[in-house]
């Protein structure tokens, strides 16, 4: 029978084979570590025991917690080998482990069962287990709120103007919080950069603040972030230091923040606000582990007030990790070759704060680390591989900062994060951000910082060709037509809608798209940007796979791509993959595929439990990629013919049997059925809202309507009117016509053919769930 020490040596060898820097039986002072592993700058330790009994688990946890308490490790794994494990069969065993960190050492252990690949994946994700990003986000968010309260309205209005943000009513405080978040991220990056700035080689030769750049003449290095915070005037000190840093580089980080500070009139309130902000930020920046979390994105979406207009939903860090792992596979590059990695091209055309791009960067780093690591990887990723576009100035500033935190030595002049213009310029020309790529055009690009329509006269790009990418990864904005341009004046809204219809005219005419929401527009854009053999990985609303109105986009996707993988969450606590929405969502991974080629079936993976941590997400990704059976993951298949005609209905069900029964039900195998839309004419909400206004009291005609569908209050299929309505001025004739077409939805009863009792019961449950029939 193998001794524990023998198993530890064998496990360490196997982990080294997975690219991990592991060493067994290491003596640290008076303490002995079973297995030591270096993960980036962190020291992780595995404390192992033979057997998986309660006593073995308690012993492993106590040893792991001891390494945290005596600070000989940053993080630890308590691991238990199963009974009967020998050196020659260890590779195929299922281990149990629990992660122990300074944050969790006083909590009961959460044991996880997995194989060697899962264990290696979890170890690579250990840095994400350190720190408490939610607590840090709340801490900084609270500081932002307090800082805003110290500012005068003049200062708030100055911040809003320089960042081109709406500033009426309650929007003024939100705009100010965004401006201060930009300042906070600049302070954070300033602190992260100091080690690099102190190197003699960092002193700039030329002054990039001017064009053409003369020789650099200022003192170097600039004042440190902490010295700026302690200065008599931190506002002046930070502004001066950032101006000097701009002579070297980093314009996306510091130019916007510096301009924000310079725009505000000097005041004690501003000094107080920046001081308290600096104190909090410098404390957070000191927790190096937190820099691997999308901390800035979490905070930004807490204060974001425009999600209902622009559909900006924050992809959780966990689910971003899952999507990135499914999008980027082992065979997509030679992970030992800097040249091969440098040729990869990845884009998020609606990148927001950069969450998905960060997830791709983490995925590449993990794949490279499995091959032994690589110097200069982050620099290559930022300058060559990763590309992001967004219309929001604050979001793109945060995306640039978040990616820059990976590698302060990056040449930001080569960073590929761009703010695109959404709006109408003074010449009356409309631009729709990155959607302008659809017809081979170029988006209007805004500089750092930007402001006002007066700067937007022609596309600002060095290339006239639409680029192509290996991977398009995105969580595109989804919002209905009646809202998505409401932040613009009516005359601009009309011009923007006209431009949208022109850009997408062939897809609207062909039935691929309808104008009720804009998210599927980005799917069309993805087809335009994906090179042959490339990948589209996207977060979409669940209804994209199920609604009759989305059949056109499903057929379009199936014609242009092989729909490889669909992941659905059936977790009743978390049916979405975005954090600030209640709608059900799916993850879709497609490979660009010639339509004439035979396509394999689509793999549908239904999750009974949505992963809660990046490590759990990577274990889920491993199971999906390898086909390993795993508790809580149910696999379906949809044949390519069904996918091609837009029948993706199997995604609605956790049980494969229910999916099969539903397919038979739709085909009329049990009784005659037809689509609800075929039973009579229906009215769209857009048509009704176009000719009616809401009223608080009944008008002479007594017209009523169901105006809203509030997710939090509408919990049954049965609903009553929630408002009175009246015809808009000059719309009486149209309103009368719509009113005369009003009706109720009746769910008919239908007889059922004879079947065995078990099948009948399942069909009854199924029909009640989807609302097709009533019994």
């Amino acid at each position: 029978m193998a001794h524990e020490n023998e198993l530890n040596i064998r496990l360490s060898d196997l982990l080294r084979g997975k690219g991990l820097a592991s060493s067994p039986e290491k003596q640290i002072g008076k303490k002995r570590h079973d297995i030591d592993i270096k993960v980036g700058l962190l020291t992780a330790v595995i404390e192992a025991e033979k057997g998986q009994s309660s006593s073995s688990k308690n012993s492993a946890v106590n040893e792991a917690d001891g390494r945290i308490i005596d600070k000989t490790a940053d993080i630890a794994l308590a691991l238990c080998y199963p009974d009967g494990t020998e050196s020659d069969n260890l590779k195929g065993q299922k281990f149990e482990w629990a992660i122990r960190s300074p944050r969790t050492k006083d909590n009961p252990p959460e044991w996880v069962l997995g194989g060697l690949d899962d264990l290696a994946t979890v170890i690579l994700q250990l840095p994400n287990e350190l720190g408490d990003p939610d607590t840090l986000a709340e801490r900084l968010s609270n500081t932002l709120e307090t800082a805003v309260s110290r500012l005068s309205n003049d200062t708030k209005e100055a911040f809003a103007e320089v960042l081109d943000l709406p500033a009426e009513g309650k929007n003024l405080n939100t705009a100010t919080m965004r401006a201060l978040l930009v300042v906070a991220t600049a302070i954070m990056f300033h602190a992260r950069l100091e080690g690099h700035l102190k190197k003699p080689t960092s002193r700039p030769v030329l002054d990039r603040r001017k064009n053409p750049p003369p020789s650099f003449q200022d003192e170097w290095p600039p004042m440190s972030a902490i010295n700026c915070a302690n200065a008599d005037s931190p506002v002046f000190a930070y502004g001066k230091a950032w101006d000097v840093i701009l002579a070297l580089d980093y314009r996306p980080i510091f130019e916007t923040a510096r301009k924000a500070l310079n725009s505000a009139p000097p005041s004690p309130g501003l000094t107080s606000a920046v001081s308290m902000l600096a104190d909090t930020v410098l404390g957070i920046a000191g927790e190096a582990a937190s820099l691997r979390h999308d901390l800035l994105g979490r905070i930004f979406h807490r204060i974001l007030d425009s999600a209902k207009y622009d559909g900006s939903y924050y992809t959780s860090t966990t689910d971003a990790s899952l999507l990135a792992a499914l999008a980027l596979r082992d065979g997509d590059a030679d992970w030992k070759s800097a040249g091969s990695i440098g040729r990869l091209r990845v884009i998020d055309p609606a990148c927001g704060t950069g969450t998905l791009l960060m997830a791709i960067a983490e995925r590449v780093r993990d794949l490279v680390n499995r091959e032994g690591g690589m110097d200069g990887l982050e620099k290559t990723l930022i300058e060559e591989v990763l590309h992001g576009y967004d219309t929001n100035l604050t979001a793109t500033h945060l995306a640039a900062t978040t990616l820059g935190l990976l590698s302060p030595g990056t040449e930001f002049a080569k960073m590929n994060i761009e703010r695109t213009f959404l709006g109408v310029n003074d010449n009356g020309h409309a631009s729709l951000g990155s959607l302008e790529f659809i017809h081979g055009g170029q988006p209007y690009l805004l500089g750092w910082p930007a402001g006002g329509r007066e700067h937007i006269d022609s596309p600002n790009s060095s290339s006239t060709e639409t680029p192509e990418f290996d991977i398009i990864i995105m969580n595109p904005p989804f919002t209905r037509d009646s809202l998505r341009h409401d932040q613009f004046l009516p005359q601009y809204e009309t011009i923007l809608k006209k431009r949208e219809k022109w850009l997408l005219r062939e897809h609207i005419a062909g039935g691929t798209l309808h104008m009720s929401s804009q998210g599927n527009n980005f799917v069309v854009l993805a087809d335009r940007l994906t090179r042959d053999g490339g990948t589209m990985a996207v977060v979409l609303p669940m209804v994209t796979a199920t609604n009759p109105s989305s059949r056109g986009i499903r057929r379009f996707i199936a014609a242009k791509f092989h729909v490889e993988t669909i992941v659905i969450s059936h977790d009743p606590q978390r049916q979405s993959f975005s954090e600030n929405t209640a709608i059900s969502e799916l993850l879709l991974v497609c490979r660009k595929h010639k339509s004439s080629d035979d396509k394999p079936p689509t793999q549908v993976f239904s999750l009974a439990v949505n992963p809660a941590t990046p490590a759990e997400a990577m274990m889920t990704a491993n199971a999906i990629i390898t086909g390993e059976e795993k508790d809580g993951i149910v696999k379906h298949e949809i044949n390519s013919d069904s996918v091609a005609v837009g029948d993706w209905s199997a995604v609605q069900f956790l049980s494969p049997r229910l999916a099969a029964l539903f397919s038979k039900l739709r085909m009329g195998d049990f009784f005659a059925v037809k689509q609800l839309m075929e039973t009579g004419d229906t009215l769209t909400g857009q048509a009704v809202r176009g000719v009616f206004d809401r009223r608080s009291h009944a008008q002479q005609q007594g017209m009523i309507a169901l105006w809203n569908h509030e997710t939090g209050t509408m919990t049954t299929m049965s609903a009553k009117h929630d408002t009175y309505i009246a015809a808009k001025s000059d719309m009486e004739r149209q309103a009368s016509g719509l009113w005369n077409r009003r009706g109720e939805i009746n769910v008919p009863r239908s007889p059922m053919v004879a079947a065995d009792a078990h099948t009948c019961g399942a069909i009854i449950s199924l029909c009640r769930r989807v609302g097709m029939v009533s019994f």
Side-chain angles (χ1 to χ4, degrees):
M1 182 178 294
H3 190 273
E4 180 194 309
N5 179 46
E6 183 183 346
L7 296 180
N8 292 342
I9 292 172
R10 175 59 175 156
L11 178 58
S12 180
D13 288 342
L14 291 172
L15 291 175
R16 274 200 303 276
K18 298 291 183 182
L20 296 170
S22 65
S23 57
E25 299 292 329
K26 188 172 183 180
Q27 194 76 23
I28 307 293
K30 296 182 179 180
K31 305 293 183 180
R32 181 183 61 83
H33 292 181
D34 286 351
I35 299 176
D36 252 11
I37 305 172
K38 292 295 290 184
V39 186
L41 300 176
L42 300 177
T43 298
V45 64
I46 295 178
E47 292 296 337
E49 294 286 340
K50 291 182 65 177
Q52 296 177 346
S53 65
S54 296
S55 60
S56 295
K57 289 181 178 180
N58 288 338
S59 177
V61 167
N62 289 336
E63 289 294 319
D65 287 348
R67 304 296 80 81
I68 301 300
I69 293 169
D70 61 31
K71 298 184 178 179
T72 58
D74 298 302
I75 194 165
L77 277 177
L79 182 140
C80 291
Y81 300 111
D83 291 331
T85 302
E86 302 288 343
S87 292
D88 57 359
N89 69 7
L90 186 145
K91 186 176 181 179
Q93 295 296 324
K94 293 288 187 180
F95 315 105
E96 284 194 81
W97 64 79
I99 298 172
R100 310 301 288 169
S101 70
R103 180 163 57 94
T104 64
K105 64 179 177 59
D106 296 323
N107 299 334
E110 296 182 7
W111 291 95
V112 176
L113 179 69
L116 183 65
D117 285 339
D118 289 331
L119 179 61
T121 295
V122 167
I123 291 170
L124 285 169
Q125 292 292 323
L126 286 178
N128 285 324
E129 299 292 333
L130 288 175
D132 187 347
D134 289 320
T135 298
L136 294 175
E138 182 177 4
R139 182 173 155 197
L140 183 49
S141 184
N142 290 339
T143 300
L144 287 168
E145 290 184 10
T146 305
V148 168
S149 70
R150 304 289 177 90
L151 301 177
S152 67
N153 279 350
D154 287 345
T155 299
K156 295 176 183 179
E157 289 169 357
F159 279 156
E161 182 177 357
V162 76
L163 294 182
D164 196 21
L165 296 171
E168 295 80 20
K170 66 179 182 180
N171 289 333
L172 182 58
N173 281 345
T174 301
T176 307
M177 285 186 70
R178 290 197 195 188
L180 288 178
L181 182 57
V182 168
V183 173
T185 57
I187 295 173
M188 183 180 292
F189 195 88
H190 187 173
R192 178 85 163 92
L193 192 61
E194 283 171 5
H196 177 70
L197 296 179
K198 290 177 180 177
K199 296 177 181 177
T201 54
S202 73
R203 179 185 173 89
V205 177
L206 299 176
D207 190 337
R208 294 189 179 182
R209 293 171 293 186
K210 301 174 183 178
N211 191 20
S215 297
F216 178 73
Q217 301 296 331
D218 283 1
E219 292 184 7
W220 192 264
M223 186 182 291
S224 70
I226 192 167
N227 286 342
C228 288
N230 294 329
D232 292 338
S233 174
V235 176
F236 175 81
Y238 278 120
K240 173 61 178 175
W242 296 344
D243 182 58
V244 175
I245 294 172
L246 286 169
L248 176 64
D249 203 347
Y250 310 105
R251 194 177 177 197
I253 310 300
F254 295 112
E255 181 67 13
T256 308
R258 189 182 67 88
K259 188 169 181 180
L261 285 184
N262 290 344
S263 71
S267 68
L270 180 61
T271 299
S272 174
V274 173
S275 292
M276 70 171 59
L277 201 59
D279 287 343
T280 299
V281 168
L282 293 175
I284 290 174
E287 299 185 40
S290 71
L291 300 179
R292 287 196 67 169
H293 294 281
D294 185 19
L295 176 65
L296 305 179
R298 290 168 188 257
I299 299 166
F300 177 70
H301 284 276
R302 284 187 180 204
I303 64 175
L304 186 66
D305 64 329
S306 61
K308 70 176 181 178
Y309 300 121
D310 57 26
S312 300
Y313 295 117
Y314 172 62
T315 317
S316 72
T317 304
T318 295
D319 295 314
S321 298
L322 175 57
L323 186 60
L326 297 177
L328 192 59
R329 300 290 181 84
D330 287 358
D332 288 341
D334 179 355
W335 303 111
K336 300 187 295 291
S337 167
S340 177
I341 295 169
R343 287 190 292 273
L344 276 175
R345 294 294 179 267
V346 179
I347 185 175
D348 183 345
C351 69
T353 59
T355 303
L356 289 169
L357 294 177
M358 273 290 288
I360 287 287
E362 292 287 349
R363 172 63 170 165
V364 172
R365 181 157 56 185
D366 289 349
L367 290 167
V368 170
N369 284 344
R370 290 176 186 270
E371 302 295 336
M374 181 182 299
D375 291 336
L377 174 63
E378 285 79 8
K379 186 176 174 68
T380 297
L381 288 173
I382 296 169
E383 294 179 6
E384 300 178 38
V385 177
L386 303 176
H387 297 68
Y389 293 84
D390 204 273
T391 61
N392 188 299
L393 172 60
T394 319
T396 48
H397 170 90
L398 296 179
T401 306
T402 299
L403 291 173
L405 288 169
L406 292 173
S407 175
T410 296
E411 288 188 45
F412 276 63
K414 297 181 180 179
M415 179 176 274
N416 300 297
I417 301 296
E418 303 283 2
R419 184 196 177 198
T420 58
F421 180 58
L422 170 65
V424 181
N425 69 9
D426 286 344
N427 296 324
H429 297 145
S431 179
L432 297 176
S434 56
L435 291 176
E436 295 292 332
F437 278 129
I438 286 177
H439 270 285
Q442 293 289 318
Y444 292 91
L445 303 182
L446 300 170
W448 299 93
R453 296 187 306 277
E454 66 275 11
H455 299 288
I456 313 305
D457 295 318
S458 61
N460 175 18
S461 174
S462 59
S463 172
T464 57
E465 296 183 3
T466 300
E468 290 187 333
F469 295 86
D470 300 287
I471 295 175
I472 286 78
I473 187 166
M474 58 182 177
N475 186 348
F478 268 85
T479 189
R480 66 175 185 261
D481 178 62
S482 60
L483 284 178
R484 70 175 175 269
H485 298 310
D486 276 10
Q487 68 267 45
F488 296 100
L489 296 173
Q491 62 267 35
Y492 293 142
E493 184 178 359
T494 299
I495 297 172
L496 286 166
K497 286 183 177 180
K498 184 177 179 181
R499 175 66 177 172
E500 186 176 24
K501 289 177 180 178
W502 183 87
L503 272 180
L504 301 164
R505 58 195 183 279
E506 62 192 74
H507 302 289
I508 296 169
T512 297
L513 298 174
H514 55 86
M515 300 305 293
S516 62
S517 68
Q518 72 172 143
N520 290 328
N521 302 350
F522 280 83
V523 174
V524 171
L525 171 64
D527 170 59
R528 184 72 176 83
L529 295 177
T530 309
R531 61 171 45 115
D532 287 343
T535 299
M536 176 179 71
V538 57
V539 184
L540 293 173
M542 173 77 159
V543 294
T544 307
T546 57
N547 272 15
S549 60
S550 297
R551 185 182 295 273
I553 196 65
R554 294 196 292 273
R555 288 175 170 172
F556 174 85
I557 294 170
K560 299 288 187 175
F561 297 84
H562 166 224
V563 183
E564 179 182 89
T565 306
I566 301 175
V567 181
I568 300 288
S569 172
H570 289 274
D571 185 337
Q573 302 302 316
R574 285 182 57 229
Q575 290 187 311
S576 59
F577 298 103
S578 302
E579 289 197 353
N580 57 335
T581 181
I583 65 172
S584 297
E585 293 175 312
L586 59 84
L587 304 181
L588 179 69
V589 180
C590 307
R591 310 279 170 174
K592 199 69 174 284
H593 202 284
K594 294 181 180 178
S595 58
S596 59
D597 294 344
D598 292 333
K599 298 177 183 177
T602 294
Q603 307 297 314
V604 179
F605 295 90
S606 299
L607 308 181
V609 179
N610 205 341
T613 68
E616 290 177 13
M618 294 305 298
M619 290 176 61
T620 298
N622 284 346
I624 290 172
I625 293 168
T626 62
E628 174 193 356
E629 291 188 8
K630 199 173 188 67
D631 288 345
I633 302 177
V634 180
K635 181 180 175 181
H636 305 251
E637 280 193 354
I638 308 178
N639 65 61
S640 58
D641 290 338
S642 294
V643 172
V645 298
D647 181 4
W648 300 7
S649 56
V651 304
Q652 299 174 90
F653 306 100
L654 180 61
S655 163
R657 184 166 182 271
L658 281 180
L661 287 171
F662 181 66
S663 178
K664 291 184 177 182
L665 178 65
R666 292 186 63 184
M667 297 299 294
D669 289 0
F670 299 112
F671 45 77
V673 297
K674 60 181 176 180
Q675 294 286 336
L676 182 62
M677 61 191 299
E678 298 174 12
T679 64
D681 197 10
T682 58
L683 304 178
T684 66
Q686 183 179 354
V688 173
R689 289 182 176 91
V691 298
F692 288 100
D693 281 328
R694 299 183 68 178
R695 294 287 190 269
S696 58
H697 302 287
Q699 306 299 296
Q700 184 175 357
Q701 298 90 344
M703 295 179 179
I704 57 175
L706 176 60
W707 196 266
N708 285 322
H709 186 286
E710 298 292 345
T711 305
T713 57
M714 303 290 288
T715 58
T716 69
M717 292 182 66
S718 183
K720 296 180 180 179
H721 76 276
D722 62 3
T723 190
Y724 296 100
I725 56 175
K728 290 184 177 180
S729 178
D730 299 326
M731 290 282 186
E732 288 82 2
R733 182 177 59 82
Q734 295 93 325
S736 176
L738 290 179
W739 180 252
N740 289 333
R741 290 165 55 195
R742 72 190 186 280
E744 296 180 353
I745 297 177
N746 296 311
V747 183
R749 297 174 179 269
S750 299
M752 180 181 292
V753 298
D756 65 89
H758 189 58
T759 299
C760 287
I763 293 173
I764 291 171
S765 298
L766 172 65
C767 292
R768 282 176 173 164
R769 174 176 176 175
V770 300
M772 290 188 66
V773 294
S774 167
F775 297 95

